[in-house]
Amino acid sequence: MLGGMAPRVLVVDKAAGARDAIAELLGEHASEVVASARDAAIGELRAAHAAGTPFDVVLLDGEPVPTTSLVRELAAAGGGARVLVIASSSDAIAQVVRCGASDVVTRPLQAAELVFRIGRAVPESGGAGRRPRKSDVIIGAGTWIKDLYDRIAMVAATDVTVAIFGESGTGKELVARTIHNSSPRHDAPFVVVNCAAIPEQLLEDELFGHVRGAFTDATRDREGLVAAAHTGTLFLDEIGELPLPLQAKLLRVLQSQEFRRIGDDQDRRVDVRIITATNRDLDQLVARGSFRQDLYYRINVFPMHLPPLRDRPDDIVLLVHHFVQKYRARLGKPVEGVTPAALARLAAYDFPGNIRELENKIHQAMVIAGGSQIDEDDLALPAPGPNARGRVDVTRPFREVKQETIDAFESAYLTELLRVHKGNLAQAARAAGMDRKNLWALAVRHGLDRARFKKP
Ligand SMILES: Nc1ncnc2c1ncn2[C@@H]1O[C@H](COP(=O)(O)OP(=O)(O)O)[C@@H](O)[C@H]1O
Ligand SMILES: [Mg+2]
């Protein structure tokens, strides 16, 4: 144990041999391991607490998934015991996290991981409080943002690994930072590593550090960023770009909180909470062999998906207002908002760079803006309409841009066609010279609902 007394652990698991197996795995890292059935656990915890020998940790079988109230009652009965839930698969983890457990362990149980998680669950005397901290606001409208905040709150209290998916500029880093700031680790560092920005050899050194003499330029020891994030949160951005050899090293950190500096002959231990982000489809990378399946399981414990801005146009007004406020103070310019024409232009644009692009556009417009309102002409946006010639984006692959252009055309054509024919498929198909079934399939693919075009 790192300082303090070895904890007393109550194992609540229906499997007969569970207690012995866990006692064996924990060894000297637990001062006592006791077993209890689920329905006897609260009594057991109360009794031990009353006797002045409280349990510090409850290891609760995650099958069936415990309710929030059970977890709460167990914690209270033990006089503030930490409840760790054992999930049987990574699929079960997301469910288990919802029940309010302080951490989750997956089967098969591994000694190093179990020792680490239990050690971490036991607060040092006078341990840090859990006050949430003010952080950057995440702006949004509707149920989407409410769900996001719910999920952030749910996972922030735990040490569970989080994977954030979304296009560039959708707020992945903002969400990761918010999780850290609302977590018990908020006073420790939040360390950001962009796995795509650094070449492989340098990245290994960046992440894991080296010992003096490990290579020609290594004139002194160097701590890597993994060590720098000790007791805090490590945010691995663009995780899909992490080279395979480093994926193996990261897997070790996740499994047993161990890593080795370049040129070292000793392992080091580290206590980090890991959050990853990517705009790539990791399933595809796994299928292609460029991303380890076992690492994918380990990081995909609690996935969060951030939608692109074009899928939530209602957020644009709020975000525009937010960024106008932000840059008004920074630029010292008395801009109040945007004109209706400018807003219409923003709403019609599809923001491939998402919120980052919107923020940049507003920032630029405020630098240019002469009056108190940002006007259409202050925004560097293409005029709306299907024939925005000369505006083709040649920085992206031909196939991608072509597909997008076709999609946009199809969607516009079908919308107008169904509007003109008031949702009458047979008539619309005849007019368009298309097969009725094909027309319907295409409309469905573009999310067009025939009922929408029918006369009220
Ligand atoms: N929902 C949001 N509300 C307010 N600002 C946001 C929101 N989402 C993103 N931003 C801002 O947009 C910019 C890009 O976000 P970032 O988190 O870096 O995106 P990503 O990591 O997905 O590329 C940042 O300045 C961030 O603060
Ligand atoms: Mg980013």
Side-chain angles (χ1 to χ4, degrees):
M1 282 301 299
L2 304 161
M5 281 259 296
R8 299 188 72 230
V9 178
L10 183 69
V11 175
V12 183
D13 194 323
K14 59 187 171 311
R19 194 218 76 94
D20 291 348
I22 286 167
E24 173 83 27
L25 288 172
L26 285 174
E28 64 185 16
H29 298 283
S31 62
E32 193 171 5
V33 182
V34 176
S36 163
R38 242 194 213 196
D39 46 15
I42 288 176
E44 196 83 46
L45 285 160
R46 283 209 185 107
H49 189 237
T53 51
F55 287 99
D56 303 290
V57 176
V58 180
L59 259 181
L60 174 64
D61 184 11
E63 228 344 88
V65 175
T67 59
T68 316
S69 56
L70 174 63
V71 170
R72 212 178 287 141
E73 282 170 42
L74 288 170
R82 305 302 303 271
V83 181
L84 269 59
V85 175
I86 310 173
S88 41
S89 70
S90 55
D91 284 348
I93 295 179
Q95 278 183 297
V96 164
V97 168
R98 269 176 249 267
C99 73
S102 55
D103 201 355
V104 180
V105 210
T106 2
R107 291 186 206 277
L109 297 177
Q110 286 191 329
E113 180 179 3
L114 197 59
V115 166
F116 171 73
R117 290 193 191 275
I118 286 195
R120 180 161 73 176
V122 183
E124 310 270 334
S125 48
R130 336 192 102 229
R131 75 208 135 81
R133 193 188 245 194
K134 181 179 173 300
S135 54
D136 289 334
V137 268
I138 306 173
I139 304 286
T143 53
W144 169 78
I145 200 77
K146 201 190 150 296
D147 290 348
L148 182 72
Y149 270 117
D150 282 351
R151 284 178 69 77
I152 289 174
M154 199 187 285
V155 85
T158 74
D159 278 324
V160 167
T161 306
V162 177
I164 307 175
F165 299 92
E167 290 177 13
S168 173
T170 48
K172 298 186 293 297
E173 185 168 340
L174 177 63
V175 167
R177 204 176 282 280
T178 306
I179 292 172
H180 171 78
N181 285 341
S182 343
S183 81
R185 295 172 174 263
H186 62 81
D187 281 329
F190 176 78
V191 176
V192 179
V193 184
N194 185 334
C195 304
I198 315 171
E200 178 174 339
Q201 278 79 21
L202 284 182
L203 184 57
E204 177 167 16
D205 191 30
E206 271 305 295
L207 278 171
F208 300 102
H210 62 248
V211 293
R212 186 174 164 213
F215 42 85
T216 330
D217 296 339
T219 52
R220 61 180 62 177
D221 286 3
R222 177 177 181 202
E223 295 294 338
L225 292 174
V226 171
H230 185 57
T231 73
T233 303
L234 181 65
F235 176 57
L236 296 170
D237 202 359
E238 311 284 4
I239 187 79
E241 317 304 319
L242 192 68
L244 279 165
L246 297 187
Q247 290 180 25
K249 286 192 94 162
L250 177 62
L251 185 63
R252 269 197 83 209
V253 175
L254 280 159
Q255 279 175 337
S256 53
Q257 288 69 42
E258 282 172 341
F259 69 97
R260 197 173 275 206
R261 296 183 295 180
I262 301 172
D264 203 349
D265 53 11
Q266 304 246 308
D267 288 334
R268 315 203 124 207
R269 308 222 81 201
V270 71
D271 165 10
V272 287
R273 196 265 176 89
I274 291 181
I275 303 181
T276 66
T278 183
N279 58 5
R280 305 283 299 268
D281 179 348
L282 288 183
D283 280 312
Q284 218 175 64
L285 297 187
V286 168
R288 215 187 283 159
S290 60
F291 203 83
R292 291 178 68 118
Q293 173 112 52
D294 47 6
L295 179 61
Y296 181 34
Y297 281 143
R298 280 278 166 179
I299 63 170
N300 199 28
V301 166
F302 192 86
M304 298 178 82
H305 295 269
L306 300 183
L309 183 54
R310 77 188 78 87
D311 287 355
R312 41 186 170 114
D314 292 353
D315 289 359
I316 289 182
V317 184
L318 295 175
L319 285 162
V320 165
H321 179 73
H322 173 68
F323 293 133
V324 166
Q325 301 296 319
K326 175 172 170 182
Y327 290 106
R328 179 163 58 192
R330 202 171 288 182
L331 298 172
K333 266 194 152 178
V335 176
E336 305 277 328
V338 301
T339 62
L343 190 60
R345 188 67 76 86
L346 287 165
Y349 183 59
D350 73 344
F351 290 102
N354 292 292
I355 298 164
R356 178 178 298 111
E357 187 180 5
L358 175 62
E359 177 168 3
N360 291 341
K361 289 265 187 294
I362 297 295
H363 183 186
Q364 285 164 18
M366 285 181 70
V367 171
I368 305 171
S372 66
Q373 302 280 315
I374 295 174
D375 200 4
E376 221 174 337
D377 298 334
D378 300 327
L379 295 162
L381 283 174
N387 295 320
R389 283 185 190 282
R391 300 283 194 172
V392 176
D393 182 1
V394 293
T395 62
R396 293 164 48 226
F398 171 76
R399 289 174 61 142
E400 223 176 276
V401 178
K402 180 177 165 188
Q403 192 55 50
E404 269 178 26
T405 311
I406 292 174
D407 284 348
F409 159 75
E410 285 179 353
S411 172
Y413 185 95
L414 291 178
T415 305
E416 185 58 12
L417 184 72
L418 288 169
R419 191 188 63 77
V420 168
H421 296 284
K422 302 188 176 64
N424 183 327
L425 276 185
Q427 220 180 71
R430 219 173 304 127
M434 286 176 80
D435 178 70
R436 209 171 73 109
K437 268 202 202 115
N438 290 345
L439 172 63
W440 178 233
L442 206 57
V444 168
R445 189 157 82 74
H446 286 286
L448 298 173
D449 181 0
R450 186 157 57 113
R452 203 175 99 197
F453 301 98
K454 293 218 165 115
K455 261 224 170 106

